[in-house]
């Protein structure tokens, strides 16, 4: 369920006015959740030349909400470890896709019959001052291209989601979990 106080679903063709304001750099990276997909993790490790074992030390983990596999986070309702004191991202060039997309969030879902549903939502953060009427307007595809979210990044997300969906069907992992979701 999407919380309407924090998110607004974007219909096809919707646009939004947004410009990142230098005076609030880092507001979107503090007290937030930054989930990493496998490609984000590898991009950061390769781009920064940090060993994956060292990168794992600044990550947190939890079991996925819809699957028993671990989900990796740079921050979980906290401050990103790559946020400098002045609010700059020290891994900006290699930042995760969720950071590249902000203020847009992706909605990806595979239905029970295997169809992919994709959508976008606008993330409204009380700390963000980027939503100004005089800011340039973007449609989601324009914003994603501007922020260097490449089509192959989107395909990788879809492939990973399809992998999880197929694993769930094949392994019936719901049988592995008790009512509380524990192993």
């Amino acid at each position: 369920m999407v919380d309407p106080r924090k998110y607004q679903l974007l219909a096809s063709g919707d646009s939004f006015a947004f410009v990142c304001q230098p005076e609030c750099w880092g507001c979107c990276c503090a007290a937030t959740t930054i989930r990493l997909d496998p490609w984000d993790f590898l991009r950061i490790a390769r781009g920064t030349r940090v060993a994956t074992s060292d990168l794992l030390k600044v990550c947190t983990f939890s079991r996925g909400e819809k699957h028993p596999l671990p989900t990796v986070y740079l921050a979980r309702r906290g401050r990103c470890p790559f946020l400098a004191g002045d609010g700059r991202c020290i891994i900006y060039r290699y930042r995760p896709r969720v950071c590249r997309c902000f203020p847009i969030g992706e909605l990806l879902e595979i239905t029970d019959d295997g169809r992919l549903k994709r959508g976008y939502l606008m993330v409204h953060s009380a700390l963000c001052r980027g939503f100004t009427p005089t800011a340039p307007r973007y449609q989601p595809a324009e914003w994603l291209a501007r922020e260097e979210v490449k089509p192959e990044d989107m395909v990788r997300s879809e492939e990973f989601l399809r992998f999880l969906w197929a694993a769930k069907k094949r392994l019936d992992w719901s049988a592995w979990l008790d009512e509380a979701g524990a192993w």
Side-chain angles (χ1 to χ4, degrees), residues 1 62-71 73 76-77 177:
M1 174 64 85
S62 72
R63 187 176 61 78
E65 292 176 19
K66 296 183 179 181
H67 57 78
L69 302 176
T71 301
Y73 300 94
R76 179 128 189 189
R77 291 184 225 91
L177 307 173

Side-chain angles (χ1 to χ4, degrees), residues 131-166:
F131 296 100
T132 62
T134 59
R137 294 196 71 80
Y138 300 95
Q139 289 186 336
E142 293 170 322
W143 179 260
L144 296 174
R146 178 187 183 280
E147 294 300 308
E148 300 178 0
V149 178
K150 298 179 171 79
E152 57 266 26
D153 293 334
M154 307 295 263
V155 169
R156 288 182 188 129
S157 293
E158 293 170 13
E159 289 172 345
F160 188 60
L161 188 61
R162 288 195 185 281
F163 162 77
L164 292 174
W165 183 79

Side-chain angles (χ1 to χ4, degrees), residues 28-164:
C28 57
C29 311
T32 192
T33 296
I34 303 171
R35 183 187 51 80
L36 299 179
D37 68 25
W39 297 274
D40 289 327
F41 187 84
L42 290 174
R43 181 187 306 115
I44 294 167
R46 289 176 181 161
T48 61
R49 295 192 173 122
V50 170
T52 54
S53 58
D54 290 333
L55 183 54
L56 285 170
K57 292 175 186 174
V58 298
C59 293
T60 58
F61 305 87
S62 72
R63 187 176 61 78
E65 292 176 19
K66 296 183 179 181
H67 57 78
L69 302 176
T71 301
V72 181
Y73 300 94
L74 265 182
R76 179 128 189 189
R77 291 184 225 91
R79 183 179 169 88
C80 177
F82 294 108
L83 189 60
D86 65 359
R88 287 180 305 112
C89 175
I90 61 175
I91 62 164
Y92 188 81
R93 188 170 171 197
Y94 313 109
R95 70 197 185 282
R97 196 177 75 247
V98 69
C99 300
R100 291 173 189 273
C101 291
F102 186 84
I104 292 177
E106 292 179 278
L107 296 172
L108 275 178
E109 178 186 1
I110 296 186
T111 62
D112 288 338
D113 63 356
R115 288 181 297 118
L116 180 74
K117 291 172 60 178
R118 175 185 293 283
Y120 298 100
L121 50 86
M122 180 62 56
V123 178
H124 293 284
S125 168
L127 300 174
C128 181
R129 296 183 207 122
F131 296 100
T132 62
T134 59
R137 294 196 71 80
Y138 300 95
Q139 289 186 336
E142 293 170 322
W143 179 260
L144 296 174
R146 178 187 183 280
E147 294 300 308
E148 300 178 0
V149 178
K150 298 179 171 79
E152 57 266 26
D153 293 334
M154 307 295 263
V155 169
R156 288 182 188 129
S157 293
E158 293 170 13
E159 289 172 345
F160 188 60
L161 188 61
R162 288 195 185 281
F163 162 77
L164 292 174

Side-chain angles (χ1 to χ4, degrees), residues 2-4 7-12 14 105 107 119-124:
V2 174
D3 181 346
Y7 306 102
Q8 169 193 348
L9 293 174
L10 294 173
S12 178
D14 280 354
L107 296 172
Y120 298 100
L121 50 86
M122 180 62 56
V123 178
H124 293 284

